[in-house]
Amino acid sequence: MFPSLQVLWSFGLVVALLTITPGVDTALVLRSAAVAGKARAWGAILGIGCGTLTWGALTAVGVSALLAASTIAYTVVRLAGAAYLVYLGGRLLWSAIRGHAGPATVTTGVTDTFFAGWRQGLLTNLLNPKVGAFYLAILPQFIPVDAPHLTWGLALAGVHVLEGVVWLGLVLVLARSLRGWLERPTVVRWIDGVVGTVIAAFGIRLALVD
């Protein structure tokens, strides 16, 4: 038994606003596409998608509920995610201060490969308990009690992933179309500074706000 098209469409409308709201995901893909390269940007997009599918599966089988019920577990995940975001943002800010002779990698010392982008996108998504909290609040409303929860959870999360791939793919195309200008060392430093500040700010906010 799979969700009907009406259920998938309704869920898609709910998560559409979350998808297009600028955040860490958009910042990572924008920076990767503009400076690091198309392969790494697509890796980040698919890594984010894998993280979303994981949250959908975890919510469907009740693990996210256990995480939400345990203050200690939630706090550990929240602080780990915050530390990771602050680390990413700090590396980019340091890169902006130091400057580049040419195009730079997303994080110093990490190659611009598809797998590197996928790993970064996956970790950024999985270490954000706010995503799990969102799924915990929304997903159960779309899954009937007698439905196979894991199947429905993956199907609904798949809609979210599809929307994310389309939206972040558009961000990637836009950034790539402007790459000639975006590769200038001064512009690279500006992008690093802005994106690093955004990511670090999300990390600090995640650490301070329960």
Side-chain angles (χ1 to χ4, degrees):
M1 178 181 178
F2 290 92
S4 66
L5 289 179
Q6 182 179 359
V7 172
L8 294 176
W9 175 256
S10 299
F11 183 78
L13 290 178
V14 172
V15 297
L17 291 177
L18 177 67
T19 301
I20 65 176
T21 300
V24 176
D25 294 347
T26 303
L28 281 177
V29 173
L30 178 62
R31 204 280 176 179
S32 298
V35 180
K38 184 165 61 177
R40 179 161 188 139
W42 276 116
I45 291 173
L46 295 182
I48 291 166
C50 289
T52 300
L53 283 175
T54 302
W55 277 118
L58 291 176
T59 302
V61 299
V63 176
S64 288
L66 293 176
L67 183 65
S70 173
T71 302
I72 295 177
Y74 179 83
T75 300
V76 169
V77 174
R78 178 171 59 85
L79 293 179
Y84 181 68
L85 292 178
V86 171
Y87 167 77
L88 288 181
R91 294 297 291 267
L92 288 175
L93 286 173
W94 174 245
S95 183
I97 294 171
R98 188 182 58 182
H100 304 286
T105 56
V106 173
T107 53
T108 304
V110 179
T111 57
D112 293 329
T113 63
F114 176 89
F115 178 72
W118 179 86
R119 180 178 58 192
Q120 189 175 61
L122 178 68
L123 287 175
T124 300
N125 190 278
L126 290 181
L127 289 175
N128 186 357
K130 299 296 184 181
V131 179
F134 172 82
Y135 266 77
L136 182 63
I138 297 298
L139 211 61
Q141 301 181 38
F142 290 87
I143 303 178
V145 176
D146 58 345
H149 287 199
L150 181 58
T151 300
W152 277 58
L154 288 174
L156 293 173
V159 173
H160 192 184
V161 171
L162 180 60
E163 291 182 349
V165 169
V166 172
W167 172 251
L168 295 176
L170 291 175
V171 172
L172 186 158
V173 171
L174 176 62
R176 295 292 295 178
S177 67
L178 300 174
R179 192 175 185 187
W181 176 72
L182 293 172
E183 283 184 332
R184 298 176 183 177
T186 301
V187 178
V188 172
R189 294 182 68 179
W190 181 83
I191 293 174
D192 283 350
V194 172
V195 175
T197 299
V198 169
I199 292 177
F202 269 100
I204 293 172
R205 183 176 180 275
L206 184 60
L208 296 179
V209 179
D210 293 334

